[in-house]
Amino acid sequence: MNTTAGLGPAAGKVRDEQDRRILGELRADFAGWRIWRARRSSDGLPGEWLATLHDPQVGITPTVMERTPDELRAALLREANLAQAGHTHSYL
């Protein structure tokens, strides 16, 4: 069942709709990334906001994870700035 802190299914539905809207905005603004919201394994409720890099021209870190969509947006903007400045990521 999808509920929010005991508030019932209606609260969960509102949150899901908000998440879908926010995801749509993020995906439209950052097309070089696969963006989604994780589910917590402990209770199945929504968890962290994530982005996986598809286009190396738009970022340098393969996966970005943040607690909120605003934090994810800020991180993806930093990634874009780093990529435009010619930074590269070292995996070694």
Side-chain angles (χ1 to χ4, degrees), residues 26-38:
L26 287 167
R27 289 171 178 158
D29 292 344
F30 300 97
W33 296 84
R34 177 179 177 260
I35 300 172
W36 75 99
R37 180 114 192 241

Side-chain angles (χ1 to χ4, degrees), residues 12 14 31 41 82 90:
V14 169
S41 61
L82 289 170
S90 173

Side-chain angles (χ1 to χ4, degrees), residues 9-80:
K13 183 177 180 181
V14 169
R15 183 196 55 234
D16 289 346
E17 289 171 7
Q18 290 171 338
D19 283 0
R20 278 193 292 277
R21 180 186 52 79
I22 292 167
L23 282 168
E25 292 169 1
L26 287 167
R27 289 171 178 158
D29 292 344
F30 300 97
W33 296 84
R34 177 179 177 260
I35 300 172
W36 75 99
R37 180 114 192 241
R39 292 267 175 200
R40 299 186 316 207
S41 61
S42 60
D43 56 15
L45 292 175
E48 304 290 337
W49 294 79
L50 293 104
T52 302
L53 184 63
H54 284 298
D55 181 354
Q57 300 298 313
V58 299
I60 62 168
T61 305
T63 302
V64 177
M65 181 172 66
E66 298 292 344
R67 291 180 305 130
T68 69
D70 290 338
E71 290 173 356
L72 182 61
R73 178 176 293 281
L76 294 176
L77 289 170
R78 283 191 302 274
E79 287 291 313

